[in-house]
Amino acid sequence: AQSVTQLGSHVSVSEGALVLLRCNYSSSVPPYLFWYVQYPNQGLQLLLKYTTGATLVKGINGFEAEFKKSETSFHLTKPSAHMSDAAEYFCAVNPNNAGNMLTFGGGTRLMVKP
Amino acid sequence: DTGVSQDPRHKITKRGQNVTFRCDPISEHNRLYWYRQTLGQGPEFLTYFQNEAQLEKSRLLSDRFSAERPKGSFSTLEIQRTEQGDSAMYLCASFSGKTSATDTQYFGPGTRLTVL
């Protein structure tokens, strides 16, 4: 079975500051990992994904994440926060089984202060 | 590629009523997933289809829930005798499934259900 833990249900940063959203996973097999963003009353939009290969993954809107197998982590970062980054962020794992159902973390709400 | 669409976007109903939601996936995507997202939580898997076949159902999917994908294109999710605990956002996701698990699941905007 797999699970995803996102530390910090709410994160607040100032505009221009570093964004760090934490994600730890557990999986019995090498997983595929995803970060999605959700704006109010909207569906989920893919930010980035790790499948195989390079462990530092770059996504849209200046976000990137690093897969660290030894730490079972896939933290999301952005060097400089914009007001438009305020949203809910979800880390998800695909266990690469027959069904490929995603297991999501509880989400982190990012607030950006002017 | 017009993306995943869901209808309606919002539904308010009284307890005990039946409701039906529709999802139109990206054309030619052979897999379609339903997830439920309650307030302040991440989405949880409900069920998925490969073409018209429903291949797996979560234990979250009680007997009051039924899903269909009759022609392998759009899907419907029906909830009978709604309860207040059914209030949630119901998300549909479309997945090519033609290559591997590295393909992305594309989500629709969701249907927000409120049961009074």
Side-chain angles (χ1 to χ4, degrees), chain A residues 55-76:
Chain A
T55 56
L56 182 63
V57 180
K58 295 187 183 299
I60 63 171
N61 301 337
F63 285 93
E64 62 183 36
E66 185 171 11
F67 170 61
K68 292 187 176 180
K69 183 178 179 180
S70 61
E71 299 178 7
T72 61
S73 69
F74 190 55
H75 301 330
L76 182 71

Side-chain angles (χ1 to χ4, degrees), chain A residues 2-47:
Chain A
Q2 58 285 328
S3 65
V4 179
T5 302
Q6 292 184 238
L7 291 177
S9 58
H10 293 79
V11 170
S12 181
V13 300
S14 297
E15 192 173 19
L18 171 71
V19 176
L20 170 61
L21 304 183
R22 299 178 185 275
C23 173
N24 289 86
Y25 69 91
S26 67
S27 177
S28 56
V29 297
Y32 299 134
L33 296 160
F34 302 79
W35 274 100
Y36 284 87
V37 61
Q38 186 178 36
Y39 297 99
N41 296 314
Q42 295 188 25
L44 281 71
Q45 179 184 5
L46 181 70
L47 277 178

Side-chain angles (χ1 to χ4, degrees), chain B residues 88-100:
Chain B
M89 174 81 88
Y90 290 84
L91 294 164
C92 173
S94 175
F95 179 64
S96 163
K98 291 180 180 178
T99 54
S100 73

Side-chain angles (χ1 to χ4, degrees), chain B residues 23-58:
Chain B
C23 171
D24 287 87
I26 295 171
S27 60
E28 298 183 356
H29 275 194
N30 60 19
R31 286 205 182 177
L32 186 150
Y33 297 78
W34 286 99
Y35 293 83
R36 182 174 71 183
Q37 184 181 20
T38 53
L39 203 60
Q41 302 297 319
E44 296 174 291
F45 167 76
L46 291 178
T47 188
Y48 88 94
F49 292 83
Q50 172 113 358
N51 299 312
E52 65 274 12
Q54 187 174 17
L55 295 187
E56 187 156 346
K57 295 190 286 187
S58 161

Side-chain angles (χ1 to χ4, degrees), chain B residues 56-71:
Chain B
E56 187 156 346
K57 295 190 286 187
S58 161
R59 66 182 185 279
L60 295 175
L61 214 65
S62 75
D63 291 344
R64 296 184 297 105
F65 288 69
S66 62
E68 294 182 341
R69 195 182 182 198
K71 297 183 179 180

Side-chain angles (χ1 to χ4, degrees), chain B residues 61-86:
Chain B
L61 214 65
S62 75
D63 291 344
R64 296 184 297 105
F65 288 69
S66 62
E68 294 182 341
R69 195 182 182 198
K71 297 183 179 180
S73 55
F74 72 91
S75 176
T76 58
L77 177 68
E78 180 182 17
I79 309 175
Q80 296 183 327
R81 304 180 305 280
T82 53
E83 302 173 356
Q84 288 183 328
D86 297 331

